[in-house]
Amino acid sequence: MSDDGAFTLQRDSISDYEQQACPEFFQGKAAKTPSRYLLIRNHILDEWQRTQPQYLTKIRARSGLRNCGDVNAIGRVHAFLERAGAINKDALQTPRRIKRRRVAEAAAGSSSDEAGGRRRAGGHVIEHTVVERHGHDDGDYRCSSSSDEGGGRRRRRRRKQQWAGIATSDFRLVPYREYSAAAPQPYALHVSSAALALMDLHAHLTHAEVIGLLGGRVTEDAVHVDVAFACTGAGSSTECEMDAAAEVSARRWFAKQNLAAVGWFHSHPAFEPTPSVRDIATQRAYQALCALPDGREPFVGVIVSPPGGDACAYGVSDIRAFCVPRDTPGEPWAVAYSVAAQPAVPGALVEQMEQLVRHQAAALAQRADLARRFRRTEAMTALEKLVISMRSHWAEDVRQQWDDAVSLRLRPLLVDLFCKGGRHDASSAASQAHHGHSHANGITNGNGHIDYADVVSDSDS
């Protein structure tokens, strides 16, 4: 496997990368052997050659396989090949399916929000439909059977109504449109390594969505994102709300560095970085708020997806930027960005990350266990995946310095506070978060860096 995440499949051999991704076939089990993995893998690749450009489903991939183990094991090989880009790359997609239970929950949540007229002053609510992406589910959707024909018709009718509600709700994900030579991007976007690394870290610390603001500078033809500020707020796996006081604190912190708010970010913990209808409305409102007299709207939205994507190297998060032009208010446009390489790792960044980790460990109700496997079919832990992803944002000549900072300062702290069995629990993390910060008059500590524990009280100063 190369540094950029690409690897080559040899029909008669198995790479180390495949053994790491599908370990169940390489553990000496009689029913799951390397030769059986090779048979399954090659069969799925052959089926893809026959079906492309149509999407190769797991059911189609299993056809013709006999005595090759349980269907879930075959499905996991299919999922690995899809993530690696060996199958279904640029395939014609079949309609996505949402688990029935989650459809009902989403519909109920939407109706309750509308009935209660939920509008929180100063906050921004972002919600999403939780979708099952092809290749990441462990089975196929099935309707329960019944001898009662009338009951079956009623169930189908109810399911159709539920789908109709989702299709027109704020939960719906809207695919990106792409800029081209004929429709050029409104501005160049440059994002610093430091900002990318902090957003990545923030997104991995919880199973809920996180949210924050981006600080930087606007020039005549570009937006420069220099720093990221992880805001406090309430979040779930499908919703996040920025705390109004945290937003004020972030803007004050930017101002102290002669920077301005030039964007916002949030995470999609378990699915692709595609904006929902509500994300689009939030982005549109931010752009209108930050519009310049010449008509430009230099405010960008960023979505961080820790699971990564087909275009990402192994272990690297999928981070996408977007904007919503005023002439297409309901459509997100993907904004390409370049990484603004930094000559060294800022010392303030490492301290900012340490304070974020301590504060999140004490405050989060849905802390992630970074000692767990990132995916059930792979040996890589969530912590190892996080380290790989953050490292990818730095230039080659800075990575050794970054590796030293991670091994000496960040990794031990993450093991203690976010790995099950670590030496510290949430209560001791809370005492660490406040240790040495007895004041409550701002977002910075005595050294001029962020104190996330005091971020809310800053708005009252």
Side-chain angles (χ1 to χ4, degrees):
M1 182 174 172
S2 63
D3 292 337
D4 61 359
F7 73 100
T8 303
L9 288 173
Q10 300 293 337
R11 189 171 183 83
D12 298 323
S13 62
I14 302 171
S15 67
D16 293 340
Y17 177 49
E18 292 175 89
Q19 295 182 38
Q20 184 182 21
C22 302
E24 58 190 300
F25 292 93
F26 307 96
Q27 297 173 346
K29 298 178 181 179
K32 295 180 180 179
T33 62
S35 59
R36 180 161 291 178
Y37 166 79
L38 202 61
L39 175 64
I40 295 171
R41 186 202 69 184
N42 289 343
H43 175 81
I44 294 176
L45 293 174
D46 291 342
E47 284 297 315
W48 165 238
Q49 291 299 318
R50 283 189 284 269
T51 61
Q52 62 177 317
Q54 296 299 321
Y55 183 86
L56 176 63
T57 65
K58 291 182 179 180
I59 295 177
R60 176 65 185 269
R62 293 198 300 263
S63 64
L65 284 173
R66 296 290 183 271
N67 302 320
C68 286
D70 63 276
V71 295
N72 289 329
I74 298 172
R76 286 190 285 272
V77 176
H78 176 281
F80 158 68
L81 292 174
E82 187 173 62
R83 289 196 306 273
I87 63 172
N88 290 335
K89 189 170 181 62
D90 300 323
L92 300 178
Q93 295 288 324
T94 54
R96 291 171 178 161
R97 289 165 171 172
I98 305 173
K99 288 188 177 180
R100 188 176 180 181
R101 176 177 60 82
R102 291 180 178 176
V103 171
E105 291 174 352
S110 178
S111 61
S112 64
D113 287 350
E114 292 170 1
R118 181 173 62 174
R119 298 183 64 181
R120 296 187 174 94
H124 305 281
V125 178
I126 304 95
E127 295 176 333
H128 311 277
T129 301
V130 178
V131 300
E132 297 287 348
R133 285 198 289 179
H134 289 301
H136 296 281
D137 55 344
D138 291 324
D140 298 290
Y141 185 89
R142 289 288 184 271
C143 301
S144 58
S145 60
S146 172
S147 58
D148 179 6
E149 275 189 39
R153 284 195 297 269
R154 285 192 296 272
R155 281 191 295 274
R156 288 192 292 273
R157 191 180 304 115
R158 285 196 301 270
R159 187 162 58 251
K160 185 176 181 180
Q161 292 169 349
Q162 289 169 344
W163 271 101
I166 287 294
T168 58
S169 74
D170 288 353
F171 295 89
R172 182 169 53 91
L173 301 179
V174 182
Y176 290 106
R177 292 185 64 176
E178 302 289 341
Y179 286 109
S180 63
Q185 195 167 294
Y187 49 79
L189 178 61
H190 309 287
V191 186
S192 72
S193 300
L196 290 168
L198 189 129
M199 287 189 284
D200 216 350
L201 171 65
H202 194 200
H204 280 79
L205 298 182
T206 175
H207 300 300
E209 289 196 3
V210 299
I211 194 167
L213 284 178
L214 303 172
R217 299 157 289 120
V218 176
T219 59
E220 185 176 348
D221 58 355
V223 173
H224 303 264
V225 176
D226 299 319
V227 295
F229 186 100
C231 290
T232 56
S236 68
S237 61
T238 58
E239 175 185 1
C240 59
E241 179 183 358
M242 187 183 299
D243 184 90
E247 182 170 354
V248 172
S249 297
R251 292 179 182 274
R252 288 181 180 176
W253 186 66
F254 296 155
K256 289 180 180 179
Q257 303 175 73
N258 296 318
L259 301 175
V262 296
W264 69 293
F265 72 91
H266 71 287
S267 65
H268 287 184
F271 53 103
E272 64 197 52
T274 300
S276 69
V277 171
R278 190 162 295 184
D279 290 342
I280 294 169
T282 301
Q283 174 64 22
R284 184 65 230 143
Y286 266 132
Q287 287 181 203
L289 181 66
C290 299
L292 300 178
D294 61 6
R296 290 183 297 156
E297 298 178 330
F299 198 94
V300 67
V302 174
I303 304 177
V304 183
S305 175
D310 294 339
C312 299
Y314 181 70
V316 176
S317 301
D318 195 358
I319 302 179
R320 302 287 301 272
F322 73 100
C323 68
V324 182
R326 61 168 60 90
D327 56 345
T328 57
E331 298 179 326
W333 288 71
V335 176
Y337 65 88
S338 62
V339 179
Q342 296 175 267
V345 177
L349 170 67
V350 180
E351 184 170 346
Q352 180 185 0
M353 288 181 161
E354 288 176 324
Q355 293 180 6
L356 173 62
V357 170
R358 291 193 179 97
H359 178 260
Q360 295 293 79
L364 287 175
Q366 301 184 55
R367 276 195 300 167
D369 179 9
L370 297 182
R372 297 185 64 181
R373 290 184 179 183
F374 184 70
R375 290 192 178 95
R376 289 182 300 171
T377 57
E378 299 179 12
M380 178 176 61
T381 66
L383 177 57
E384 292 169 339
K385 188 269 177 198
L386 169 59
V387 171
I388 291 173
S389 189
M390 289 194 299
R391 188 177 192 269
S392 69
H393 305 309
W394 297 92
E396 195 66 40
D397 56 349
V398 184
R399 285 183 177 176
Q400 185 58 56
Q401 184 188 2
W402 172 253
D403 292 343
D404 293 342
V406 170
S407 61
L408 294 176
R409 298 175 64 176
L410 284 180
R411 191 182 185 105
L413 192 62
L414 290 167
V415 169
D416 283 351
L417 301 180
F418 281 87
C419 290
K420 190 173 182 179
R423 292 178 298 171
H424 298 100
D425 58 18
S427 60
S428 63
S431 65
Q432 287 189 46
H434 292 279
H435 179 68
H437 306 294
S438 58
H439 66 286
N441 63 346
I443 59 172
T444 60
N445 60 24
N447 295 321
H449 302 311
I450 296 177
D451 183 354
Y452 286 99
D454 293 335
V455 77
V456 174
S457 63
D458 178 61
S459 62
D460 300 325
S461 60

